[in-house]
Amino acid sequence: QVQLVESGGGLAQPGGSLRLSCVASGFTFSRYAMSWARQAPGKGLEWVTGIYSDGSDTAYADSVKGRFTISRDNAKNTLYLQMNNLRPEDTALYYCAKSFDSLSYRIQSSRGQGTQVTVSS
């Protein structure tokens, strides 16, 4: 059974930073591309960033490019999202997601419960 447990969310000031983590279990983490998505209040789900199973390639939505960094530690079955220079429009529920294969980081087959990020002064 796939389990994805996010943590690290909270309240940050504009310009501040947060680091999200996602611990995966129930599948062979190192074989699958992973991603982060978010959903702001009253809006649809937005894909934020993704990474190949071996970490050799990443991609970002234009809205976060240059500010967010995705990474993974396959030995620890953990996915990370470093968020810098946060903006109020980054406020959302952030989800960790597993793909169908090792490369398709824009496709999500399973998601966690999410961790809330609020950016406000």
Side-chain angles (χ1 to χ4, degrees), residues 41-120:
K43 296 189 176 181
L45 191 67
E46 175 190 17
W47 178 86
V48 173
T49 177
I51 186 169
Y52 278 176
S53 60
D54 63 0
S56 62
D57 189 50
T58 59
Y60 298 88
D62 288 344
S63 57
V64 307
K65 200 171 292 182
R67 301 187 297 121
F68 289 11
T69 303
I70 188 172
S71 62
R72 64 191 296 160
D73 185 337
N74 285 346
K76 295 183 178 180
N77 289 352
T78 303
L79 181 72
Y80 301 100
L81 181 63
Q82 178 67 44
M83 305 186 295
N84 298 329
N85 193 18
L86 284 163
R87 303 168 179 170
E89 54 264 39
D90 294 319
T91 295
L93 188 61
Y94 282 73
Y95 297 96
C96 164
K98 168 188 173 290
S99 180
F100 291 102
D101 59 28
S102 62
L103 304 178
S104 304
Y105 47 52
R106 294 184 186 273
I107 301 174
Q108 303 175 341
S109 67
S110 301
R111 282 197 298 267
Q113 294 299 306
T115 185
Q116 179 67 39
V117 171
T118 302
V119 184
S120 174

Side-chain angles (χ1 to χ4, degrees), residues 2-17:
V2 173
Q3 281 199 319
L4 300 166
V5 180
E6 303 95 336
S7 63
L11 177 64
Q13 292 189 338
S17 298

